[in-house]
Amino acid sequence: MNTLSLIVGLGNPGSEYAQTRHNAGFWYVQQLAEQYHIQLKSDSRFFGISGRGTIEGHDVRLLLPSTFMNRSGQSVAPFVKFYQIPVHQILIAHDELDMPAGHIRLKSGGGHGGHNGLRDIVPHIGADFHRLRIGIGHPGSREKVTAHVLGKAPQAEQQLFDQAIEQALQRTHLLVGGQIDKAMNQLNAFKPDSTTK
């Protein structure tokens, strides 16, 4: 059983991007830090914001790269190398175009799936990390993707994201404790309630 040593949230830095769909990974890690009272501080050595604390009895580091999304590896790779974190003990949370808004999936290993953040990380540390994929939906055509991921979701859609992240937070004990398969079965079966007000 492999426990988690590092949880990374992907997104873009700056207030203008804070509420955009591409920052779904940031939202998860920020709420995780808040829930477990882990202070996140600027860490210029690793081009990111990081913190360390105890989550459900486990010593875990959190990292939010402060590079732009397509340069996420510039933060993640040196952080992982410095702290000598095994790749299979890393969870990376990110937005996922190819899943409906508010759906959430846990996956271990695999390619980058076209995600620019993962695309920049995999060549540096390999692909054997866990991914928490937060669905943001697809706008329907390739030409609309950039505006979609860098756009702010309407309230009804944001509520779906909030439900997905809450599901992940409720399964934190499974995630950090290395019960990845159990967490995967529960998260992958989740369907958001679009009638929630």
Side-chain angles (χ1 to χ4, degrees), residues 8-14 17 23 26 30 41-50 62-76 79:
V8 180
L10 299 186
N12 284 310
Y17 295 107
N23 277 34
F26 268 16
Q30 287 165 341
K41 297 180 180 179
S42 178
D43 197 341
S44 59
R45 294 175 299 169
F46 304 114
F47 307 101
I49 297 168
S50 69
L62 305 179
L63 175 66
L64 300 174
S66 55
T67 58
F68 281 98
M69 180 69 86
N70 61 354
R71 294 289 180 264
S72 297
Q74 292 181 0
S75 173
V76 175
F79 192 96

Side-chain angles (χ1 to χ4, degrees), residues 11-28:
N12 284 310
S15 57
E16 67 270 37
Y17 295 107
Q19 299 302 316
T20 62
R21 295 179 181 89
H22 221 11
N23 277 34
F26 268 16
W27 302 338
Y28 168 66

Side-chain angles (χ1 to χ4, degrees), residues 1 125 145:
M1 184 169 67
I125 70 170
V145 165

Side-chain angles (χ1 to χ4, degrees), residues 20 78 84 143-144 152 192 197:
T20 62
Q84 299 182 321
E143 293 74 23
K144 296 178 181 178
K152 182 178 178 180
K197 300 299 180 185

Side-chain angles (χ1 to χ4, degrees), residues 11-136:
N12 284 310
S15 57
E16 67 270 37
Y17 295 107
Q19 299 302 316
T20 62
R21 295 179 181 89
H22 221 11
N23 277 34
F26 268 16
W27 302 338
Y28 168 66
V29 173
Q30 287 165 341
Q31 289 185 42
L32 193 63
E34 186 176 328
Q35 181 170 317
Y36 290 95
H37 308 291
I38 298 174
Q39 189 172 2
L40 297 174
K41 297 180 180 179
S42 178
D43 197 341
S44 59
R45 294 175 299 169
F46 304 114
F47 307 101
I49 297 168
S50 69
R52 181 183 183 182
T54 301
I55 299 180
E56 301 295 334
H58 298 276
D59 181 24
V60 180
R61 295 182 187 275
L62 305 179
L63 175 66
L64 300 174
S66 55
T67 58
F68 281 98
M69 180 69 86
N70 61 354
R71 294 289 180 264
S72 297
Q74 292 181 0
S75 173
V76 175
F79 192 96
V80 168
K81 183 177 180 181
F82 182 83
Y83 290 112
Q84 299 182 321
I85 300 170
V87 179
H88 60 268
Q89 293 182 7
I90 299 171
L91 174 70
I92 298 182
H94 64 89
D95 61 304
E96 179 58 66
L97 269 171
D98 295 327
M99 284 167 32
H103 286 237
I104 192 164
R105 296 285 184 274
L106 186 61
K107 179 183 178 184
S108 298
H112 56 68
H115 190 282
N116 286 336
L118 298 184
R119 192 196 303 269
D120 196 57
I121 292 170
V122 169
H124 298 289
I125 70 170
D128 293 333
F129 51 87
H130 307 290
R131 304 104 192 276
L132 184 67
R133 305 160 68 208
I134 302 166
I136 61 169

